[in-house]
Amino acid sequence: MTHYIDPHIHMSVRTTSDYEAMAAAGIVAVIEPAFWIGQPRTSAGSYVDYLSALVGWERFRAAQFGIRHYCAIGLNSKEANNPALAEEVMDILPRYLLKEGVVAVGEIGYDEQTEAEDRYLRAQIDLARELDMLVMVHTPHRDKKRGTSRTMDVCVEHAVSPARVVIDHNNEETVREVLDRGFWAGFTIYPKTKMGSERMVEIVRKYGAERIIVDSSADWGVSDPLAVPKTATLMRQRGIADADVVRVCYANALAAYGQSGQMGEDDWLSPQPIDQRILFEGNTVLRGQTPRVDDTIVE
């Protein structure tokens, strides 16, 4: 089976049925960046629980369905506009950034491009430098071209190598500058906003496969956790060379985030056998179904 990586997806708000479907479609690994939960957090304590789940329960839950789960840890740009909360969250980030399976500081960047967002973007880029970590950048929905250019300017000002930064949620307006400046260019296949599969085919046809990454960013909105394999299928149907499809839907994500030292092919090519009877802190992924227990499990 062809392997895929979805390097930007918010599995915390997806179901275990999604994990089953993703594994069946060939997705072997996901990266889940820290994200806005859809309403303002009332305290940093909810951030602690959320980040703990990203490095704990969600990692366990994915593995129980044969998918390797990695994450990026950061203060979301929308929440940078709550300075009291932001200061508390900045204090707790280092304790999570060095956990197993954390591949980057992210997703960070601009939302409304406010002064507060700029301050915490710079602080988190400095933190990434201090800890020798990669950076995953969210680019704004509004005034995207200016926000994307501004984000790359900040990375350069703070002496971060473009080769260690993934600029995500690109479109036709931003792709040329991102590639020309040497950054990785992520594209999010998200219905009704961001990027569609048909447009993605044309971008790969025009710009090639070098440093281009496809993801779904599937979350609590109307979105599709199978967007990466579906887009790969469309690319092949439209005559994109298989080698290029593999690069943009698998190999480039592995090359970019593999720089973290936290993510490698052996993780899924030599997987641990699945035993869904195992508990995580006393909790199970089972909800009435017969547990999957691989034949290699010795009783």
Side-chain angles (χ1 to χ4, degrees):
M1 173 185 287
T2 302
H3 288 167
Y4 301 106
I5 295 173
D6 190 336
H8 187 142
I9 186 168
H10 301 283
M11 293 307 301
S12 296
V13 293
R14 308 299 309 196
T15 68
T16 51
S17 297
D18 290 330
Y19 273 128
E20 288 183 315
M22 292 163 68
I27 295 176
V28 292
V30 298
I31 298 173
E32 178 162 7
F35 184 50
W36 184 57
I37 61 173
Q39 65 182 42
R41 285 183 170 87
T42 57
S43 73
S46 77
Y47 238 106
V48 170
D49 291 338
Y50 173 64
L51 297 180
S52 296
L54 290 188
V55 299
W57 166 254
E58 206 54 49
R59 186 176 171 85
F60 166 78
R61 190 167 72 114
Q64 292 296 77
F65 293 89
I67 293 177
R68 293 301 301 244
H69 181 281
Y70 309 89
C71 66
I73 296 291
L75 169 71
N76 189 269
S77 56
K78 289 176 75 71
E79 290 168 321
N81 293 302
N82 180 344
L85 174 71
E87 284 298 323
E88 289 189 70
V89 173
M90 288 299 299
D91 287 341
I92 65 176
L93 290 184
R95 87 169 78 155
Y96 289 98
L97 285 168
L98 297 179
K99 296 280 190 185
E100 184 179 359
V102 179
V103 297
V105 176
E107 56 183 305
I108 61 174
Y110 294 116
D111 183 45
E112 297 290 348
Q113 303 188 50
T114 65
E115 182 180 336
E117 291 170 18
D118 187 69
R119 179 165 65 252
Y120 290 105
L121 170 63
R122 292 173 185 273
Q124 292 186 91
I125 288 175
D126 285 343
L127 187 56
R129 276 190 52 199
E130 178 184 335
L131 299 177
D132 192 26
M133 296 191 71
L134 304 167
V135 176
M136 179 195 290
V137 169
H138 164 91
T139 51
H141 301 286
R142 292 168 290 280
D143 203 359
K144 181 181 286 288
K145 192 172 191 309
R146 184 172 73 92
T148 302
S149 299
R150 186 178 176 188
T151 308
M152 291 188 287
D153 290 344
V154 170
C155 289
V156 172
E157 287 174 27
H158 287 249
V160 176
S161 168
R164 294 180 63 79
V165 180
V166 178
I167 306 289
D168 210 349
H169 311 323
N170 281 282
N171 61 22
E172 292 85 348
E173 281 191 324
T174 61
V175 54
R176 169 55 71 196
E177 182 183 359
V178 171
L179 293 176
D180 284 351
R181 296 180 70 167
F183 291 83
W184 296 91
F187 290 83
T188 296
I189 311 302
Y190 198 106
K192 306 184 192 316
T193 66
K194 297 186 175 72
M195 176 61 59
S197 295
E198 298 272 355
R199 290 162 59 195
M200 193 68 233
V201 171
E202 296 309 313
I203 284 174
V204 173
R205 201 188 303 280
K206 181 174 181 178
Y207 294 97
E210 185 175 356
R211 283 183 284 113
I212 284 180
I213 296 171
V214 177
D215 60 65
S216 74
S217 195
D219 55 21
W220 39 255
V222 176
S223 51
D224 186 356
L226 301 181
V228 173
K230 286 180 179 177
T231 302
T233 297
L234 184 64
M235 286 182 184
R236 292 186 172 101
Q237 290 172 346
R238 298 295 169 81
I240 301 293
D242 188 65
D244 287 343
V245 177
V246 171
R247 288 183 75 180
V248 301
C249 295
Y250 176 80
N252 284 349
L254 176 59
Y257 291 106
Q259 296 179 85
S260 67
Q262 293 289 321
M263 179 179 181
E265 272 191 317
D266 282 350
D267 293 350
W268 50 86
L269 296 182
S270 303
Q272 293 292 315
I274 293 174
D275 182 351
Q276 292 180 339
R277 300 168 301 181
I278 295 174
L279 304 180
F280 178 84
E281 296 189 358
N283 298 307
T284 174
V285 297
L286 300 176
R287 289 296 180 270
Q289 71 268 36
T290 301
R292 172 181 167 182
V293 181
D294 286 354
D295 293 339
T296 51
I297 296 289
V298 177
E299 298 289 347

